Amino acid sequence: MTNRHQDLLHLLTRAERLSARRLQSVLGAFDCSLEAWRVLDLLADGRGRTMTALAEHAFLPAPTLTRLVDQLVDQNLLYRRVDPADRRRVLAALTPRGIEHRERLSRAVEADRARWAASLAEADEARLADLLRRLTGALGDADSVTSAGAERGAGRAR
């Protein structure tokens, strides 16, 4: 790995950790974890989501997500319902209390973002988001290529 790639990896890691730490400090005032925020925020559109979608969005393994969703249900922030399109699946959705709680969190998160984002022009923020989406896509493609190559190699070794 070249120094340029190491620098990029270091910068990405540092930015993620600093932003997560900062976000957690804002959410902590509401006794909310970063993972719970991710779940609440994803559900804000009112569509309901499967546990798989929530786990992927919150970057959590399924058992950990289940415990988190159980806690959010106990707090009356979420409820579960059977998916009308596929009765084998369960969807999670925000309760009215969950909607209000998510709105309070969102206002606090946005107020904090406005403080640090002032140093970035809107165009810079949009460009950064675009670059990160492209990088994520490229890395995801690289994972599938690496997996396919490993499977082909394993097939030859048989």
Side-chain angles (χ1 to χ4, degrees):
M1 192 179 320
T2 66
N3 280 345
R4 189 173 59 141
H5 293 119
Q6 288 174 339
D7 289 346
L8 177 60
L9 181 59
H10 183 265
L11 287 169
L12 287 169
T13 302
R14 183 155 168 73
E16 189 277 331
R17 289 184 181 167
L18 288 171
S19 63
R21 188 178 313 139
R22 185 170 184 126
L23 181 56
Q24 185 56 63
S25 72
V26 171
L27 297 171
F30 297 87
D31 197 28
C32 182
S33 69
L34 182 57
E35 295 78 14
W37 162 249
R38 288 179 177 142
V39 168
L40 295 171
D41 196 50
L42 181 64
L43 294 173
D45 65 4
R47 292 181 23 210
R49 293 292 196 293
T50 64
M51 297 296 276
T52 300
L54 292 176
E56 289 172 2
H57 188 76
F59 303 107
L60 291 173
T64 305
L65 175 78
T66 298
R67 284 191 297 275
L68 174 61
V69 168
D70 288 344
Q71 291 170 1
L72 295 172
V73 167
D74 289 346
Q75 295 170 17
N76 192 26
L77 299 175
L78 296 185
Y79 67 93
R80 295 180 180 102
R81 69 173 192 254
V82 174
D83 184 348
D86 182 349
R87 301 204 43 86
R88 296 169 295 176
R89 294 188 328 176
V90 173
L91 300 177
L94 293 177
T95 64
R97 183 171 187 257
I99 293 168
E100 291 173 10
H101 186 63
R102 189 258 169 202
E103 284 300 315
R104 281 190 301 276
L105 292 170
S106 185
R107 284 190 298 272
V109 166
E110 184 55 33
D112 182 67
R113 190 197 71 75
R115 283 190 285 279
W116 62 260
S119 64
L120 290 176
E122 252 184 74
D124 291 338
E125 197 172 340
R127 179 138 171 78
L128 178 59
D130 180 56
L131 290 169
L132 290 172
R133 273 191 288 279
R134 289 175 36 206
L135 177 61
T136 301
L139 292 172
D141 291 345
D143 282 347
S144 64
V145 168
T146 302
S147 296
E151 289 171 10
R152 282 193 302 272
R156 277 186 242 129
R158 289 184 192 154

